[in-house]
C-alpha cells in the first residue's frame, strides 16, 4: 500500500523547491551577474509555465484518484491554492518580457533627448515588476510547504512532539517494593 500522506507531502515540498529555483534565478536590475534580457526572462517564464502545468496536473491527478487512492484533500487544496500566486508571478514575468521588448524596439531612440530618462524609468518599472514576481514566487513556495507541513509535519517537529509526549512524568505513587517490608521492631512476624 502506498503511503499517500507521505507522497503528498513530498510532492508539495518538491514543487515548492521548483518555484524556489525559479525565484533564485530571477534577474536583478542592479546586478550585472544576473542579466536582464528577453532570453533570460523568456527562459524563466517558460520554466514557470512548466511548473504551472505541473500544479494543474497535481490537482487533476489527486482529484481524479482521490476515491481510489485516498489522496488527502489538504494536498489538493495546497496545490490548487498555489496556482493563484504562481499565475501572478507568470503575469509579472510576462510584463517584464513585454517591457524589455518595447525597450529593445525603441532602441533606435539612441541619443535623442530624454532617451536616458526613459531608460532609467524603464529600469525602475522593470525592477518593481520583478519584485512582484519575486514576492509571488515566495508566496507560492511558502504556501506549498505549509500545506506539506499540515499533511505531514517535518521529522524535526515530529521528534520534538515525541520527546514531549514520551518524557517520563514523575509517578504519583511510589513504586511497590519487590520485597515485603520488615516487621516493625519489637514485633515477631509469624508466617503460616
Amino acid at each position: 500500500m502506498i503511503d499517500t500522506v507521505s507522497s503528498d507531502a513530498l510532492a508539495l515540498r518538491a514543487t515548492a523547491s521548483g518555484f524556489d529555483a525559479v525565484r533564485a534565478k530571477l534577474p536583478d536590475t542592479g546586478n550585472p551577474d544576473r542579466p536582464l534580457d528577453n532570453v533570460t526572462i523568456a527562459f524563466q517564464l517558460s520554466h514557470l509555465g512548466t511548473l504551472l502545468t505541473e500544479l494543474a496536473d497535481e490537482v487533476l491527478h489527486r482529484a481524479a484518484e482521490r476515491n481510489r487512492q485516498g489522496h488527502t484533500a489538504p494536498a489538493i487544496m495546497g496545490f490548487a491554492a498555489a496556482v493563484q500566486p504562481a499565475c501572478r508571478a507568470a503575469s509579472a514575468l510576462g510584463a517584464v518580457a513585454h517591457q524589455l521588448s518595447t525597450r529593445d524596439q525603441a532602441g533606435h531612440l539612441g541619443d535623442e533627448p530624454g532617451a536616458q530618462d526613459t531608460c532609467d524609468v524603464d529600469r525602475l518599472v522593470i525592477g518593481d515588476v520583478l519584485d512582484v514576481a519575486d514576492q509571488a514566487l515566495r508566496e507560492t513556495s511558502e504556501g506549498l510547504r505549509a500545506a506539506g507541513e499540515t499533511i505531514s509535519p517535518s521529522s524535526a517537529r515530529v521528534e520534538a512532539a515525541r520527546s514531549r509526549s514520551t518524557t517520563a512524568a514523575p509517578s504519583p505513587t511510589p513504586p511497590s517494593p519487590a520485597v515485603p517490608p520488615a516487621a516493625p521492631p519489637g514485633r515477631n512476624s509469624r508466617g503460616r
Side-chain angles (χ1 to χ4, degrees), residues 15 19 51-59 79 82-83 86 140 144:
T15 305
F19 283 98
L51 289 172
L52 276 164
T53 300
E54 289 174 11
L55 278 178
D57 288 348
E58 293 288 355
V59 172
F79 284 116
V83 172
T140 303
L144 288 164

Side-chain angles (χ1 to χ4, degrees), residues 28-152:
D28 183 352
T29 56
N31 185 349
D33 295 334
R34 294 166 84 184
L36 179 61
D37 58 51
N38 258 332
V39 173
T40 302
I41 294 297
F43 178 77
Q44 293 301 316
L45 191 54
S46 176
H47 191 79
L48 187 53
T50 300
L51 289 172
L52 276 164
T53 300
E54 289 174 11
L55 278 178
D57 288 348
E58 293 288 355
V59 172
L60 174 62
H61 168 72
R62 282 170 173 72
E65 297 291 321
R66 183 174 178 199
N67 293 333
R68 289 188 285 166
Q69 298 291 327
H71 287 288
T72 59
I76 296 169
M77 291 171 22
F79 284 116
V83 172
Q84 184 180 19
C87 285
R88 199 168 51 248
S91 178
L93 288 179
V96 170
H98 181 263
Q99 191 74 24
L100 288 172
S101 295
T102 302
R103 182 182 73 184
D104 291 348
Q105 189 175 12
H108 67 278
L109 291 175
D111 296 328
E112 290 185 26
Q116 184 59 42
D117 291 339
T118 302
C119 187
D120 291 341
V121 169
D122 194 43
R123 249 185 169 3
L124 288 173
V125 169
I126 289 172
D128 288 346
V129 177
L130 283 172
D131 287 344
V132 169
D134 181 78
Q135 180 183 4
L137 289 168
R138 180 184 306 119
E139 184 181 332
T140 303
S141 63
E142 287 174 355
L144 288 164
R145 280 197 179 81
E149 289 295 316
T150 300
I151 293 170
S152 175

